[in-house]
Amino acid sequence: MRQSCRALDWGQGVPLPRDSGARGGSMSTCSVSKGCFVFKPNSKKRRISSTGDYFSEGKNDSEDSGLRFATCQLLWKQINSEMEKIQDELNKQLFDNLINFLRQSHSEFQTESTEWMCRMKSSEIPTAALVLGVNVTDHDLTFKSLSEVLQDSITPYVVSLQAKECPGIKHLLQKLMGQLMNCYVDVDDSEEEECVNISQKKMRCSMASLSQWYKDVTKKSGFETSSKKRTSSSRHWQSPPIVVIFKDMESFTTKVLQDFIVISSQHIHEIPLVLIFGIATSPMIIHRLLPHSVSSLLCIELFQSLSCKEHMATVIDKLLLTTQFPFKLSEKVLQVLINIFLYHDFSVQNFIKGFQLSVVEHFYSQPLSVLCCQLQEAKKRINSLSHNQCENIRSLPSFRRYVESQVSEKQIALLTEDNFLKEVTQTLLEDLNSYHENYFPVLRCLHVFTSSLPKYPLGKQIRELHCACLGKRVWETEEYGSAVQLMRMLAKAELVAILQKCVEIFTSSSGKQFSNTIEKMEEFLTRFQNLEAETNDIQDVSVSSQNELQKKTDLYHLQKTLLELKESKRSKKLTKFEMLRFEVVDFIESLVRSYLTPAEMQTLNEVVYFNTANTLREHLNAAPRIALHTALNNPYCYLKNQTLKSDVGCISNTAPDICIAYKLHLECGRLINLVDWLEAFSTVVTAVEGKDLDSTATDQMDEIIHARFIRAVSELELLGFIKPSKQKTDHVARLTWGGC
């Protein structure tokens, strides 16, 4: 006997003795439902670790795997840092409003103002209703940032509560006091020994105990002493409020909320309590959960966070539509991430995780991703490329197209001389960098035009226009033709405002070829200003012609004059404004055709663009039934153990018990005879034993196999593949049908 698997302390998992002969000494799994089992990995097996082994194993084993991993880490560190800045900027206004609300409530309690006394008499609790939207997965990060901001500037006493942790009022008070007593308050070393560690005291969880604790801790911390003796941090006010955050208000039971609010209102004159309700749906949920007698105890102020769509648009604009980071997403990959965001969860954090997965997958699957860095660093790395890496460059589809477009002498040099290839690669990377520097300003300029059009033929958001330009020649699409027609009908005021925005965009861009573009647009603006005087003259002429028509009272002369005016309108030439407008639109079209070419047409685009959308979709779009069927039908797919390899249609005795039972059950009908199932299971398990055992050993072996079979059947029942049958006691009913 030997123990071939070890169970961690999860659930009811326990180590099981296994017979070495039954499995031929191979690695096996005792259970998948009642334990977590750990095996020592094979040295040949691909693994992922913090040292970058993920990049150096399997098909991507290369001499620069460590450098690729370091580049990936550095890039994501920079992206993550920028992402945190973006989130801080987006939440700044909301947090500032909440801080002002808390300061106002705090100051009223501290100074015992008339308004606070009125609140105290009516037992009203200051309450902030924070509407965050349906993207629930993003709420934890928002509340974490909010707690840090409040603890840094207002009060150290911030408590965050979740509905699953507070099924009753007793549990809520326990969580409340438990978190409060672990709060950290800065004190001087001289008083640190005198400060009583109240968190270690056993106190009755009630609002009276909380009130007494608050009085004691503020005195010990120096919040209620004079300014000379005050030892708390200067960033906190005297008598700091206790902020209680209900992260998911809709999930709390009505009784728990009612009891807590009623009890708290009775002690509001003793404790500066402030509530923050995290709301995902609508503020009306407060009145649906709480009756008027309870909601009247709250002094509610509404706060609205930035919508998840606006948050998402900002993230894409700052992270993807910029030359700050060399890594880019192709049109299909970006569309996968956007579709998951729009049609699944509206979660910005999940979008960022998908973006992070794209970065890791790109650096793992693309050997030339070592050049996906800043231009100057990439040039240095090109000089140290090995012959194998040069061959990788030659195998790129975009580079092949480039070679085919060259003369024969240059083709031979590119395919045979590594040094010449490195020089050309540096030039091509410079061109790719210039392409991005020119692409994004022109894209933003075109978006300024198209976003002002009715019905948004090219999309309202810039990400929609970006996807259209990445995938194909946008000027060949029907939507672009409709947009151009509408652009030729823009009013003068709109056209001038759009040109002014475009001038600002090109002025702030890093592109080196836009000096002439800026001059041309400024010239257009000057010509529009010169048209104002001519417009006034035209208006004077039209007024005089109308006066002449009013003078002619004779019907014959009046009809003759009207016919002449009608003919003149038909044969009328374009006005100077219309000609200038056409000229502006034609100029914008020339910029689009010059700079908004698809990324796939750029040479070496594979170095910086991640375009394996199917791989990303497999990782992000969960298919649990397919994954479960694959794991049970072909365990080698996940365990990567060579002993688990088997031919299609064969059942290997080295597979885990549940896999053997699962394959056997696929061959059965609606009802499965347990005795026949056990015999088939025993036959597979003992198929290669080939040993003559005595009766005692045989009985012992049968008992072990019987126990293993019972466990495998129980696990399949737990996973929902079978259920007991009421028709026959010795049968089970099969629940799943069809292939995956």
mmCIF file of all heavy atoms in Angstrom, residues 29-45:
data_model
loop_
_atom_site.group_PDB
_atom_site.id
_atom_site.type_symbol
_atom_site.label_atom_id
_atom_site.label_comp_id
_atom_site.label_asym_id
_atom_site.label_seq_id
_atom_site.Cartn_x
_atom_site.Cartn_y
_atom_site.Cartn_z
ATOM 1 N N THR A 29 -6.246 10.407 -9.136
ATOM 2 C CA THR A 29 -7.040 11.317 -8.315
ATOM 3 C C THR A 29 -8.068 10.529 -7.533
ATOM 4 O O THR A 29 -8.810 9.731 -8.117
ATOM 5 C CB THR A 29 -7.748 12.353 -9.196
ATOM 6 O OG1 THR A 29 -6.764 13.052 -9.932
ATOM 7 C CG2 THR A 29 -8.529 13.335 -8.370
ATOM 8 N N CYS A 30 -8.127 10.729 -6.242
ATOM 9 C CA CYS A 30 -9.089 10.012 -5.415
ATOM 10 C C CYS A 30 -10.469 10.641 -5.496
ATOM 11 O O CYS A 30 -11.473 9.957 -5.467
ATOM 12 C CB CYS A 30 -8.626 10.021 -3.956
ATOM 13 S SG CYS A 30 -7.024 9.269 -3.706
ATOM 14 N N SER A 31 -10.516 11.957 -5.586
ATOM 15 C CA SER A 31 -11.811 12.623 -5.542
ATOM 16 C C SER A 31 -11.709 13.969 -6.214
ATOM 17 O O SER A 31 -10.665 14.599 -6.202
ATOM 18 C CB SER A 31 -12.253 12.809 -4.082
ATOM 19 O OG SER A 31 -13.391 13.636 -4.018
ATOM 20 N N VAL A 32 -12.832 14.415 -6.802
ATOM 21 C CA VAL A 32 -12.877 15.765 -7.343
ATOM 22 C C VAL A 32 -13.924 16.596 -6.625
ATOM 23 O O VAL A 32 -14.087 17.763 -6.906
ATOM 24 C CB VAL A 32 -13.192 15.749 -8.855
ATOM 25 C CG1 VAL A 32 -12.107 15.066 -9.608
ATOM 26 C CG2 VAL A 32 -14.530 15.078 -9.132
ATOM 27 N N SER A 33 -14.653 15.985 -5.722
ATOM 28 C CA SER A 33 -15.751 16.708 -5.093
ATOM 29 C C SER A 33 -15.533 16.976 -3.623
ATOM 30 O O SER A 33 -16.150 17.869 -3.069
ATOM 31 C CB SER A 33 -17.049 15.914 -5.260
ATOM 32 O OG SER A 33 -16.926 14.654 -4.620
ATOM 33 N N LYS A 34 -14.665 16.225 -2.955
ATOM 34 C CA LYS A 34 -14.516 16.387 -1.517
ATOM 35 C C LYS A 34 -13.083 16.659 -1.111
ATOM 36 O O LYS A 34 -12.709 16.428 0.017
ATOM 37 C CB LYS A 34 -15.019 15.138 -0.796
ATOM 38 C CG LYS A 34 -16.527 14.919 -0.966
ATOM 39 C CD LYS A 34 -17.002 13.769 -0.121
ATOM 40 C CE LYS A 34 -18.506 13.575 -0.259
ATOM 41 N NZ LYS A 34 -19.019 12.479 0.561
ATOM 42 N N GLY A 35 -12.280 17.155 -2.019
ATOM 43 C CA GLY A 35 -10.905 17.441 -1.659
ATOM 44 C C GLY A 35 -10.163 18.137 -2.759
ATOM 45 O O GLY A 35 -10.580 18.115 -3.908
ATOM 46 N N CYS A 36 -9.053 18.768 -2.406
ATOM 47 C CA CYS A 36 -8.164 19.383 -3.396
ATOM 48 C C CYS A 36 -6.841 18.644 -3.320
ATOM 49 O O CYS A 36 -6.209 18.607 -2.266
ATOM 50 C CB CYS A 36 -7.983 20.865 -3.090
ATOM 51 S SG CYS A 36 -6.827 21.667 -4.181
ATOM 52 N N PHE A 37 -6.437 18.010 -4.421
ATOM 53 C CA PHE A 37 -5.296 17.117 -4.400
ATOM 54 C C PHE A 37 -4.125 17.726 -5.142
ATOM 55 O O PHE A 37 -4.298 18.305 -6.207
ATOM 56 C CB PHE A 37 -5.683 15.772 -5.009
ATOM 57 C CG PHE A 37 -6.855 15.133 -4.322
ATOM 58 C CD1 PHE A 37 -8.136 15.318 -4.819
ATOM 59 C CD2 PHE A 37 -6.679 14.412 -3.166
ATOM 60 C CE1 PHE A 37 -9.223 14.758 -4.178
ATOM 61 C CE2 PHE A 37 -7.764 13.849 -2.527
ATOM 62 C CZ PHE A 37 -9.035 14.017 -3.019
ATOM 63 N N VAL A 38 -2.960 17.611 -4.569
ATOM 64 C CA VAL A 38 -1.757 18.227 -5.108
ATOM 65 C C VAL A 38 -0.766 17.142 -5.490
ATOM 66 O O VAL A 38 -0.501 16.229 -4.704
ATOM 67 C CB VAL A 38 -1.125 19.181 -4.074
ATOM 68 C CG1 VAL A 38 0.129 19.813 -4.646
ATOM 69 C CG2 VAL A 38 -2.124 20.241 -3.669
ATOM 70 N N PHE A 39 -0.235 17.230 -6.714
ATOM 71 C CA PHE A 39 0.781 16.297 -7.170
ATOM 72 C C PHE A 39 2.064 17.063 -7.461
ATOM 73 O O PHE A 39 2.015 18.211 -7.888
ATOM 74 C CB PHE A 39 0.328 15.577 -8.441
ATOM 75 C CG PHE A 39 -0.969 14.851 -8.300
ATOM 76 C CD1 PHE A 39 -2.137 15.421 -8.776
ATOM 77 C CD2 PHE A 39 -1.027 13.615 -7.683
ATOM 78 C CE1 PHE A 39 -3.342 14.763 -8.651
ATOM 79 C CE2 PHE A 39 -2.231 12.951 -7.564
ATOM 80 C CZ PHE A 39 -3.387 13.521 -8.038
ATOM 81 N N LYS A 40 3.183 16.426 -7.261
ATOM 82 C CA LYS A 40 4.453 17.020 -7.652
ATOM 83 C C LYS A 40 4.526 17.064 -9.173
ATOM 84 O O LYS A 40 4.363 16.044 -9.834
ATOM 85 C CB LYS A 40 5.616 16.217 -7.085
ATOM 86 C CG LYS A 40 5.713 16.302 -5.569
ATOM 87 C CD LYS A 40 6.924 15.551 -5.063
ATOM 88 C CE LYS A 40 7.031 15.670 -3.552
ATOM 89 N NZ LYS A 40 8.213 14.965 -3.036
ATOM 90 N N PRO A 41 4.760 18.238 -9.762
ATOM 91 C CA PRO A 41 4.727 18.340 -11.225
ATOM 92 C C PRO A 41 5.910 17.630 -11.871
ATOM 93 O O PRO A 41 6.999 17.545 -11.307
ATOM 94 C CB PRO A 41 4.795 19.852 -11.472
ATOM 95 C CG PRO A 41 5.483 20.388 -10.264
ATOM 96 C CD PRO A 41 5.053 19.522 -9.121
ATOM 97 N N ASN A 42 5.647 17.134 -13.052
ATOM 98 C CA ASN A 42 6.701 16.507 -13.846
ATOM 99 C C ASN A 42 7.665 17.575 -14.342
ATOM 100 O O ASN A 42 7.265 18.691 -14.665
ATOM 101 C CB ASN A 42 6.061 15.773 -15.034
ATOM 102 C CG ASN A 42 7.052 14.839 -15.698
ATOM 103 O OD1 ASN A 42 8.250 15.032 -15.598
ATOM 104 N ND2 ASN A 42 6.528 13.834 -16.371
ATOM 105 N N SER A 43 8.936 17.258 -14.418
ATOM 106 C CA SER A 43 9.924 18.246 -14.859
ATOM 107 C C SER A 43 9.685 18.658 -16.296
ATOM 108 O O SER A 43 10.069 19.751 -16.723
ATOM 109 C CB SER A 43 11.339 17.681 -14.709
ATOM 110 O OG SER A 43 11.474 16.503 -15.486
ATOM 111 N N LYS A 44 9.069 17.761 -17.111
ATOM 112 C CA LYS A 44 8.814 18.077 -18.505
ATOM 113 C C LYS A 44 7.504 18.804 -18.691
ATOM 114 O O LYS A 44 7.187 19.237 -19.785
ATOM 115 C CB LYS A 44 8.801 16.791 -19.334
ATOM 116 C CG LYS A 44 10.121 16.043 -19.327
ATOM 117 C CD LYS A 44 10.021 14.810 -20.200
ATOM 118 C CE LYS A 44 11.327 14.040 -20.206
ATOM 119 N NZ LYS A 44 11.228 12.824 -21.040
ATOM 120 N N LYS A 45 6.744 18.910 -17.641
ATOM 121 C CA LYS A 45 5.406 19.483 -17.754
ATOM 122 C C LYS A 45 5.476 21.000 -17.761
ATOM 123 O O LYS A 45 6.224 21.604 -17.009
ATOM 124 C CB LYS A 45 4.577 18.991 -16.569
ATOM 125 C CG LYS A 45 3.116 19.369 -16.642
ATOM 126 C CD LYS A 45 2.413 18.762 -15.449
ATOM 127 C CE LYS A 45 0.982 19.219 -15.385
ATOM 128 N NZ LYS A 45 0.288 18.686 -14.221
#
